[in-house]
Amino acid sequence: MLFVLDSGYDIVRLTWLLRDEPVRLLGRVRSGRTFYHPPGRRRGDHPGRPPRHGEAFRLADPATHSTPVAETAGLHNRYGTVIARSWSRLHPRPERRGAWAGHRGQIPTVEGSLIHLAVEHLPGNRTPKPVWLWHSDPDATTHDIDRLWRTYLRRFDLEHTFRFLKQTLGLTRPRLRHPEQADRWVWIILAAYTQLHLARPLTEDLRRPWERPLTPHQLTPGRVRRGYPRVRRTVGTPARAPKATRPGPGRPKGRTSTPAPRHPVGKKHNRTDTTPQGTAKTNL
């Protein structure tokens, strides 16, 4: 099972905590970090503790980069040519702070694979920035590298989908108490999301001034939802008009000729009643 994370997570610590589980982690790391190669033999003839870290691999310094163990290239419809290079058996030097502050014993050496992505261009003619990924498998193959960078780019589509489900369709809005209710609510949200996809050819592109026009089969669920009130008037509904549950006020029961009483609207009104003695009285 592969978990894809963005920057901000201590992916090295998570790799250590999940070392006995059948999972793999892929996450983005800052371009200013430093990793190290496996340690070699101790220099000199004097005895002592063997080294724990090898040569430094600084992400921001290309002079410290060794020859990559794997390199792959591919085409992407948004980023053009994408070149991925990977280095295996690299590890950071964690300090006893943050997530490692309460670790007992010696801090372990966690090895993994580093992947560097170089794209041809970004949407909007923006300047590409270096992207470094960390994979928990220390011996990733060329096939794995080609699959991993495509999976990481696919993550952004999934993230925006969940964002739309939460913020627009209200996936996490109700305060549910039972798992059965949560499952039922998720299926309702998925049914609504499917309806937005099916209603693409029925709605109009009500775009903002800064949005580019899209064809009907390219409309996003957000734009379809924007024009969904017009779709409802066009499609209609199979339900009938609602009926009142109780009969309205009418002629008193048993009378057929007398006019129906008129019920005033509002809390205050002027009414003239005739008392049994025949005198008139006005109530406010």
Side-chain angles (χ1 to χ4, degrees), residues 12 56 77 115 129 134 136 190 248 256 280:
V12 178
N77 55 355
I115 304 174
K129 296 182 179 180
W134 162 275
S136 59
L190 293 179
T256 58

Side-chain angles (χ1 to χ4, degrees), residues 4 85 113 135 265 268:
V4 183
R85 303 179 179 91
S113 298
H135 186 42
V265 179
K268 296 182 180 180

